[in-house]
Amino acid sequence: MLPKIAQVIGIRKFELKFNIEEPNGPYVKTKIPGPKSIQLINDLSKIQRTSVNRPALGYFPGADWMYKLNNALLQMAPIGLNHVTTMMCGSCSNENALKSIFIRYQSKKRGECIDFDDKEKTTCLLNMPPGSPDLSILSFKGGFHGRTIGILSTTHSKYIHKIDIPAFDWPVAPFPQYRYPLDENKKENKKEDEFCLQQVEHLIEEYENKGKPVAGIIVEPIQAEGGDNHASKEFFQQLQRIAKKYDCAYLIDEVQTGGGATGKMWCHEHFDLDYSPDVVTFSKKMQCAGYYLKPEYLPKQPYRIFNTWMGDPSKIILLEEIIKIIKRDSLLENVKITGKVLMNGLFEFEKQYSGLVKAVRGLGTFISFDLPTTSKRDEVIALLKTKGILSGGCGDLSIRLRPALTFQPKHANIFLEKLKNVLDEI
Amino acid sequence: MLPKIAQVIGIRKFELKFNIEEPNGPYVKTKIPGPKSIQLINDLSKIQRTSVNRPALGYFPGADWMYKLNNALLQMAPIGLNHVTTMMCGSCSNENALKSIFIRYQSKKRGECIDFDDKEKTTCLLNMPPGSPDLSILSFKGGFHGRTIGILSTTHSKYIHKIDIPAFDWPVAPFPQYRYPLDENKKENKKEDEFCLQQVEHLIEEYENKGKPVAGIIVEPIQAEGGDNHASKEFFQQLQRIAKKYDCAYLIDEVQTGGGATGKMWCHEHFDLDYSPDVVTFSKKMQCAGYYLKPEYLPKQPYRIFNTWMGDPSKIILLEEIIKIIKRDSLLENVKITGKVLMNGLFEFEKQYSGLVKAVRGLGTFISFDLPTTSKRDEVIALLKTKGILSGGCGDLSIRLRPALTFQPKHANIFLEKLKNVLDEI
């Protein structure tokens, strides 16, 4: 009785059998009528099968999982990173990425000996060192990396995210706060970079001395939630050199920036780093979540980075189709062109509405600008809404633009026109 | 150009519009041919729409989300708990449940004043008290509540999950270790309960004194990952009374036990508690994840329990259908009947193969038994596999059974016959 429901309700073992008997076939494409319609996920039975037979990927990945990883996630991997671990969301990806960093840090200390000693095995079960070592992660003021309790100790954008929740004593460095326009403030901004980088080194040494060595540095390529704070490529290059000097992992959190909106698939590719980062996390636009990592960050023992779901195959189907459309329609190129239209328009407003529109900044269409006060900012967002445009606030003064990759110059012009109307009104 | 892809790639705003224009309609049922086939999720276009238009539920839940929460999750809520927060996975559910507990603990301390003081606002951004207070959660040896870094401080089942990862100094109490058969060891097991409960009180006082007050107690109704360790209903009743006495939240983690396998939807319903628990977390068999909670655990301010996805509507469609089948086919009743067949068979083996099969224990079909050594246990699992039966190890000595809710007495008899063959072989 009820042979199929067994796969839904309980016994994971049957899923394996099911997958072997009925592996997901290749895409069957059917045309949807209409001149400009999109052939988006047309094999409905495939979606249905993948959605209903929810696998525990760590145990029973299914016959085609490796193919899917290769076809979607690894195809889009940042240069130099050809390993990937899948997870369910951005926070879990960052949480597990930190775990991989701690594991690698301790493994390196152990050297050739890959086994643990008995004291480590017993103390970790009681949350005590040496099994649960007093390691730390350096993060930045204004940074946002998620809200689960571990990674929350690296998030510092708004108090409402953190208040009342216990935290680890981990170091928090200043992130560059530039003066705009950048062209007119090169010297000050260079000094700002130097100051922040000095603080990073200072904190790494301070935490080493107080017995909480820094195992890794986590940083967003653009601090998004914290107010679209940009830093120079030199800052990120130098930060990586500091990480190398102190043997800390260099984790770039691309949960918000990854997926093409900056004009490159990964924002950190704008920075011309000496080496690829050690770990890059992703979620959101990528539909599925997880992290790319260097082989030395793969644990040597099984079940150290593991959970029930280990991601969701129904999401990678979406990513596969998105990647096809990105390529077919040259969407990264579109983002660059549209981004220029937006930036030029906003630079123009910065002159025309001097004192009102400030600090225009962006990469691709990942763009933001400031208003003089929070209330003015909120007013502009509200007025834009009355004209059919949804924009978002970030930080205290900023409006951030996050259009789809399909946003074209003609759409940018509509936005600029409406924004001009709003600026004229206030 | 490309109006639909916009919903997939980036702008969440358009999803709202889409949802309003095309709200998910009611189920359209079509018969799948075949005498015993199941009408499982028949409206493929509905699945497709829900899967493709992945919403940020906290902002844009869609027109039918409230209906779905009522129809699926709240319909199955434990008695006394009629609020629910959805998440993506079991670990995230436990992480956020702890956050709700910490928030409620501090809110209660603040009393009528619902605003935070400036020192709290600034210190929390630097991970320091009073904004990030030094609160703790009491958990149990052998417990498993997930692997993200926060909740990992309450997980104590196997060293491989924890070693090398920093942890909070939170109290860890002993969980009852009973002698079996229970009938012959009542006195000793009662003493074991008393000892463990004394330790709980002792630890709550110790951590209060060392400045890390216990805001909540987290416990599984059956310690699953840790070896299917059961405790008496009196233990759970008394534990709740201790929680009340010290004003700690009582969180029952039903991620593994929830969903019907114990013969009730929620395992803690077997315990005849004085009151419902304060928080109950779920995932796995429930397809969607999250936690039920009492109203006093809802934060008074928005954005404190929040993230991008806040769960996944495509999973609640599965749950809706599963609930229908559970009711249509009286599957909880089936679990009770099948569980008895399994238990009686295993009790018989405990006599017949004395010294080999031990400590038979279970609720519904959530059943386990011990072998005398880990190697014997692993041998039995391996031999069962050669006979077409996949079972799982847990703890050091146990084999755990986790059949689907559709597992019937006739299937139980096949299992018992095969197990008998294996026991005869070794």
Side-chain angles (χ1 to χ4, degrees), chain A residues 24 28 42-51 53, chain B residues 44:
Chain A
N24 291 336
V28 179
N42 296 321
D43 182 353
L44 296 183
S45 70
K46 182 183 170 68
I47 283 261
Q48 187 192 32
R49 271 211 307 272
T50 306
S51 294
N53 292 292
Chain B
L44 296 184

Side-chain angles (χ1 to χ4, degrees), chain A residues 237-372:
Chain A
Q237 290 165 1
Q238 199 55 33
L239 187 61
Q240 185 175 44
R241 287 174 202 134
I242 292 171
K244 277 248 176 290
K245 175 177 168 188
Y246 292 96
D247 197 21
C248 310
Y250 193 43
L251 189 172
I252 297 198
D253 176 350
E254 296 250 23
V255 168
Q256 186 148 167
T257 47
T262 67
K264 293 183 185 280
M265 198 63 195
W266 304 103
C267 182
H268 74 264
E269 292 172 355
H270 289 280
F271 299 154
D272 303 323
L273 297 174
D274 300 342
Y275 317 87
S276 58
D278 298 304
V279 185
V280 172
T281 53
F282 59 87
S283 182
K284 295 193 196 279
K285 283 192 182 58
M286 296 292 286
Q287 306 299 319
C288 34
Y291 53 107
Y292 298 104
L293 66 168
K294 289 189 176 159
E296 59 262 40
Y297 288 84
L298 295 168
K300 295 186 181 75
Q301 303 85 356
Y303 295 103
R304 300 190 75 180
I305 300 293
F306 192 83
N307 58 50
T308 296
W309 306 123
M310 295 293 293
D312 183 346
S314 75
K315 302 297 181 277
I316 213 164
I317 294 177
L318 306 181
L319 178 63
E320 282 178 320
E321 297 300 318
I322 289 170
I323 291 170
K324 281 181 199 164
I325 307 290
I326 288 177
K327 289 185 176 173
R328 188 193 72 185
D329 297 341
S330 305
L331 289 182
L332 295 187
E333 198 51 40
N334 177 58
V335 165
K336 281 178 209 158
I337 294 164
T338 310
K340 266 188 201 148
V341 175
L342 284 168
M343 287 291 279
N344 287 340
L346 290 169
F347 281 137
E348 201 54 47
F349 292 165
E350 202 167 6
K351 284 181 208 151
Q352 270 179 48
Y353 303 89
S354 164
L356 197 58
V357 173
K358 301 191 214 189
V360 173
R361 56 205 187 272
L363 286 171
T365 56
F366 201 102
I367 289 170
S368 55
F369 57 96
D370 286 2
L371 279 295

Side-chain angles (χ1 to χ4, degrees), chain B residues 153-361:
Chain B
S153 289
T154 69
T155 285
H156 315 281
S157 52
K158 296 194 183 82
Y159 71 82
I160 199 72
H161 304 152
K162 287 177 70 79
I163 208 157
D164 294 346
I165 315 299
F168 288 106
D169 171 17
W170 289 353
V172 191
F175 191 81
Q177 297 290 314
Y178 292 155
R179 290 192 204 170
Y180 286 85
L182 293 177
D183 282 349
E184 297 167 22
N185 295 280
K186 283 185 183 167
K187 212 170 144 188
E188 291 82 352
N189 293 340
K190 191 159 182 281
K191 268 196 189 154
E192 176 71 1
D193 277 359
E194 283 162 9
F195 168 76
C196 292
L197 292 163
Q198 271 167 12
Q199 289 296 306
V200 168
E201 286 212 62
H202 171 75
L203 283 165
I204 292 174
E205 286 169 9
E206 182 189 325
Y207 273 72
E208 175 75 39
N209 292 337
K210 77 188 219 186
K212 295 173 185 284
V214 175
I217 296 173
I218 185 169
V219 67
E220 293 159 281
I222 300 167
Q223 280 193 339
E225 180 73 17
D228 267 27
N229 303 319
H230 290 248
S232 67
K233 63 163 82 174
E234 292 77 17
F235 173 81
F236 286 101
Q237 291 165 2
Q238 201 51 36
L239 187 60
Q240 186 175 42
R241 289 176 200 134
I242 293 171
K244 278 250 177 286
K245 175 177 169 187
Y246 292 96
D247 197 21
C248 311
Y250 192 42
L251 188 173
I252 298 198
D253 176 349
E254 295 249 23
V255 168
Q256 187 148 166
T257 48
T262 68
K264 292 181 185 282
M265 199 63 194
W266 304 103
C267 182
H268 74 265
E269 292 173 355
H270 288 281
F271 299 156
D272 303 322
L273 296 174
D274 302 340
Y275 317 88
S276 57
D278 299 304
V279 186
V280 172
T281 52
F282 58 87
S283 181
K284 297 194 195 274
K285 283 192 181 58
M286 296 292 287
Q287 305 300 317
C288 34
Y291 54 107
Y292 298 105
L293 67 168
K294 289 190 176 159
E296 59 262 40
Y297 289 85
L298 295 167
K300 294 184 182 74
Q301 303 85 356
Y303 295 104
R304 300 190 75 180
I305 300 293
F306 190 85
N307 58 50
T308 297
W309 307 123
M310 295 292 293
D312 183 346
S314 75
K315 302 295 181 278
I316 213 165
I317 295 178
L318 305 182
L319 179 63
E320 282 179 318
E321 297 299 318
I322 288 171
I323 291 171
K324 281 182 200 165
I325 306 289
I326 287 177
K327 289 184 176 173
R328 188 193 73 184
D329 296 342
S330 305
L331 289 183
L332 294 186
E333 199 52 40
N334 176 59
V335 165
K336 282 178 208 158
I337 294 165
T338 310
K340 266 186 202 150
V341 175
L342 284 169
M343 287 292 278
N344 287 341
L346 290 168
F347 281 138
E348 201 54 45
F349 292 165
E350 201 166 6
K351 285 181 208 152
Q352 270 180 46
Y353 302 90
S354 161
L356 196 57
V357 174
K358 298 191 215 193
V360 173
R361 58 203 185 273

Side-chain angles (χ1 to χ4, degrees), chain A residues 228 256-263 285 331 334-340 342-343 346 363-369 389-392 399-409 411-413 415, chain B residues 5-14:
Chain A
D228 267 28
Q256 186 148 167
T257 47
T262 67
K285 283 192 182 58
L331 289 182
N334 177 58
V335 165
K336 281 178 209 158
I337 294 164
T338 310
K340 266 188 201 148
L342 284 168
M343 287 291 279
L346 290 169
L363 286 171
T365 56
F366 201 102
I367 289 170
S368 55
F369 57 96
I389 289 175
L390 283 160
S391 61
I399 290 179
R400 60 178 171 187
L401 308 182
R402 296 289 189 272
L405 303 187
T406 52
F407 200 73
Q408 293 181 296
H411 306 121
N413 286 326
F415 166 75
Chain B
I5 196 75
Q7 293 138 21
V8 183
I9 293 181
I11 300 202
R12 296 192 294 235
K13 296 103 200 185
F14 292 164

